[in-house]
Amino acid sequence: MKLRAVVTAVGAVAAALVVVSPAQAATAQARGYDHKDPYQTGCGNSARTVRTGTINSQLEGKIGTVMLKYSFRCKTNWVEIRTITAGYGSITVQNAKGTIDTFQFKKGNGGRHWGNMVDGNNICAWGSASVKWGTGQGGQRGSGGTGQACK
């Protein structure tokens, strides 16, 4: 009888130690997607654009749009851009915890490119992009960013 009471007490203590709040579980889940592709993981299927910005060139004016995305399923953020097909460059997303992901993209893909994800669960995030074309010299470049979004 004493052995059964000890085993039950140890089991109850162990179960209490493993309990995590839903917020903690969501944060751990979101961190598990850091630096991963939103479309390969399926996170892109439940996403919406939460902030947008313009990619501007000093000589050409508007050459694209930068969009901060948020996945409700994965609780993550990433940046997607639409720009000139000949454009190449970098896409950056970061959150207020200091997690940053920068993705280098090549020309093509119809000018649609996206970077990897960072944790967006109950935390602010923002993004930016730099685009070059041709030699990237003499005004053949542009940049832009989004405002901060907090989920």
Side-chain angles (χ1 to χ4, degrees), residues 13-43:
V13 169
L17 291 175
V18 208
V19 173
V20 293
S21 74
Q24 289 171 318
T27 297
Q29 172 198 10
R31 266 190 260 125
Y33 289 114
D34 279 353
H35 313 293
K36 293 183 181 172
D37 185 301
Y39 295 100
Q40 287 181 353
T41 58
C43 296

Side-chain angles (χ1 to χ4, degrees), residues 26-108:
T27 297
Q29 172 198 10
R31 266 190 260 125
Y33 289 114
D34 279 353
H35 313 293
K36 293 183 181 172
D37 185 301
Y39 295 100
Q40 287 181 353
T41 58
C43 296
N45 300 335
S46 66
R48 73 174 190 152
T49 300
V50 292
R51 292 283 185 271
T52 61
T54 301
I55 302 171
N56 285 309
S57 164
Q58 189 173 18
L59 295 178
E60 303 293 327
K62 182 179 177 176
I63 59 165
T65 303
V66 57
M67 299 164 279
L68 180 65
K69 300 283 197 170
Y70 179 77
S71 168
F72 289 92
R73 183 174 76 80
C74 301
K75 311 241 183 292
T76 55
N77 288 103
W78 69 93
V79 169
E80 187 167 321
I81 68 168
R82 302 256 182 198
T83 190
I84 58 176
T85 303
Y88 61 93
S90 63
I91 297 170
T92 301
V93 64
Q94 74 181 83
N95 66 24
K97 288 183 183 176
T99 306
I100 301 172
D101 189 280
T102 299
F103 179 82
Q104 302 296 319
F105 65 93
K106 298 179 181 180
K107 62 183 179 178

Side-chain angles (χ1 to χ4, degrees), residues 136-149:
Q137 302 296 317
Q140 294 178 319
R141 68 176 104 211
S143 61
T146 69
Q148 190 177 80

